[in-house]
Amino acid sequence: MSAKDGEYRLLGDLNLNTKIIEKVKANLRGEALLPSDSGYDKARTIWNAMINHKPGMIIRCAGVSDVVAAVNFARTHNILISVKGGGHNVSGNAVCEGGLMIDLSPMKSVYVDPATRRARVEGGATWKDYDRETQVFGLASTGGAVSRTGVAGLTLGGGWGWLAGKYGLACDNLVSVDIVTSDGKVVTANANQNSDLFWGLRGGGGNFGIATSFEFAIHPIKEILAGTLFFTLDAAKEVLIFYDKFTRSCPDELASLIVFVNVEGQMLIGVTVCYCGEIKIGEELLLPLKEFGSPVINTLQKTSYVDFQQSVDHVFAEGYQNYWKSSFMKGLDIPEIDMILEFVSKIPTPESVVLIEQVGNGVRRVEVNEMAFNHRDARYSLLICGMSPNQGDKNEISAWTKTFWSSMEPFTTDAVYMNYLGEFGDEGEDRVISSYGVNKFEKLVTLKNKYDSSNMFRLNQNIRPTNS
Ligand SMILES: Cc1cc2nc3c(=O)[nH]c(=O)nc-3n(C[C@H](O)[C@H](O)[C@H](O)COP(=O)(O)OP(=O)(O)OC[C@H]3O[C@@H](n4cnc5c(N)ncnc54)[C@H](O)[C@@H]3O)c2cc1C
């Protein structure tokens, strides 16, 4: 979408004069940054270095009143906006070109009530912030596997993590959300208030407003049994056959994934597991895995949940070029294993990674129509991550990812996890519809008509209102 649509304006179109800028600034507790301000470049830089958008202004919100002020300013002048939580989405939708970027990342507070087992977290916090505070009380809820990922974007899109087998997705643990809607109102959505919106917010992404805080149910989690057993690639086929059988009989407490990753110069296949139940039972359960084949590295150990949550951050380092594609898989049989191994053998850079994530029992337990998130019956999600620290590798990593993904089409379903979708232009509206299924998508359009009929919140995996 572009400004030519005539549906919104860029800040450059406004002839922003000093008076307007001073008025915006005076109305904030946080700051408004223009391209000439120090701090502007830092604020517009997000995790995926492939994205180099330059907003006309960045409002770094200090609280709900700043979010309201930013939304009102944008609505009054019909300005294109983008919303940043953790800034980790691969599509780069958090940063707009020429419009107003509403940056929630200064809003990171986390309040934990151990008595009611509830945590309230602001819309700009990362999972690192959240885990750190909740673990003070030995409590946790499902969050992303890379600690710098934002609570907001991940939860609004679903949110798979190491506790998903037992406690479901991040959105399954959501009790209540406060959002600022396109008319600048602060609305609470939960099971009793605005329950239609609450349905849509659990999977529907940033389409309905700006979430300023989330309330989660939290659970006792302390020491876990977790780590990766790495094998050489010549054993990969056997590892995958073993893994598929092993995960079929897993209890809720076990979450797992397969990773193809370069470790110290060698491409390896890893089986990463996290057991969040009683350690002794976990040790017995994981014995067949420990005794399987000849792992070249074994990091499986008792560890703290917080430490494990940060253990793969280095693999997904900031500032890399990233081109990702994903789909849910039909199964993990020999033909698809062979195809995966063929493309792993052609991996374009040492930083690129391929993941096969086990969706987990807890995800399937939630009734599928309870919220917008769909495809709970999938067993595995395939995520192909073309990555490189060098800008010059951009075309090569994109080409490998696209060819790999399309070659996997016979073995994947139409469905995709919305949070893994890349740039809208590359994926298209059909992929967004596929991520919800047609029936849920229609319900989401109805909700969009009700809460954001002007499509103010359009820079996301967009659910367009009927009239746009
Ligand atoms: C390295 C890496 C690891 C990941 N690991 C996991 C994982 O383990 N599990 C998983 O499920 N997903 C994972 N993801 C995907 C992740 O869930 C999405 O990228 C998610 O959108 C990131 O959220 P964010 O707040 O950091 O993103 P941002 O880029 O800040 O935002 C993404 C979009 O979310 C919306 N949004 C953000 N904040 C708000 C808000 N406060 N209110 C309303 N809308 C908002 C906006 O539409 C925005 O465009 C991972 C992604 C990366 C890059």
Side-chain angles (χ1 to χ4, degrees), residues 55-128:
M57 183 190 279
I58 302 171
I59 293 188
R60 291 191 30 90
C61 302
V64 178
S65 63
D66 285 356
V67 179
V68 171
V71 165
N72 286 342
F73 172 57
R75 193 187 55 257
T76 306
H77 298 284
N78 200 20
I79 303 166
L80 172 72
I81 63 158
S82 64
V83 180
K84 180 188 167 196
H88 246 239
N89 195 286
V90 75
S91 71
N93 280 327
V95 196
C96 53
E97 183 65 48
L100 172 66
M101 173 176 163
I102 304 179
D103 179 5
L104 271 80
S105 61
M107 294 172 59
K108 288 183 184 301
S109 81
V110 185
Y111 173 74
V112 181
D113 184 349
T116 57
R117 291 209 176 145
R118 293 284 188 267
R120 184 164 279 279
V121 52
E122 281 190 299
T126 63
W127 289 103
K128 187 173 184 174

Side-chain angles (χ1 to χ4, degrees), residues 129-184:
D129 304 317
Y130 181 82
D131 291 339
R132 196 179 145 95
E133 298 301 333
T134 51
Q135 279 288 282
V136 169
F137 302 95
L139 297 163
S141 62
T142 309
V146 173
S147 75
R148 289 180 309 258
T149 312
V151 170
L154 185 134
T155 304
L156 293 168
W160 179 91
W162 290 115
L163 305 181
K166 186 149 175 73
Y167 296 114
L169 300 167
C171 65
D172 298 336
N173 292 276
L174 207 50
V175 175
S176 191
V177 190
D178 282 353
I179 78 163
V180 176
T181 49
S182 53
D183 53 6

